[in-house]
Structure formats: structure tokens, C-alpha cells
Amino acid sequence: MNPVSQAESITLHNRKPLAPPFHRHIAKSKLIDTTCRVGDSVLIYDIVATEPDGVVRVTRATRFQFE
């Protein structure tokens, strides 16, 4: 079994463009200290990219990008 890498960055796509911007903060706090992969969802966001690829552990050092 491969160990889970720490995420350097995660890109999230907003499914509801009219949602208030504070949802970004909520999504970040829900992802911290969890594992995720492309295709997972949190709140109104879909995870569309991770660096490195595959299953990653989100830490406080992870950069979040929203599109």
C-alpha cells in the first residue's frame, strides 16, 4: 500500500457561481487534515486537480486555488 502524499496544491471548481465567497473559507477548513482526490466534493466545490496526483493529505501548508 502506497503512503499518502502531502498536497502542495488543490484546485476546486465552484458548482454554484452565485454562492457567497465565505464558502471558500468553510471548504478549506473542512478539507484540512483530511485525504482527498480528484472527483471528490466538499460543499459546493468539486476537486478538479491535486499536486501531486492521486490521493493526497491536505495540510495547513496546502495552497488552494478556486476557479
Side-chain angles (χ1 to χ4, degrees):
M1 185 167 171
N2 293 339
V4 177
S5 302
Q6 286 190 355
E8 293 177 23
S9 69
I10 291 182
T11 304
L12 300 154
H13 174 73
N14 187 350
R15 292 188 312 253
K16 297 185 179 182
L18 298 178
F22 70 84
H23 283 177
R24 290 180 179 194
H25 175 72
I26 297 169
K28 286 180 187 180
S29 64
K30 284 188 174 280
L31 284 170
I32 298 286
D33 296 329
T34 65
T35 57
C36 64
R37 70 181 85 206
V38 172
D40 289 351
S41 296
V42 60
L43 289 179
I44 59 169
Y45 298 100
D46 292 325
I47 298 172
V48 295
T50 62
E51 181 63 39
D53 293 332
V55 178
V56 294
R57 174 163 291 286
V58 182
T59 65
R60 295 195 182 278
T62 301
R63 289 185 321 273
F64 289 87
Q65 299 172 348
F66 293 89
E67 47 177 58

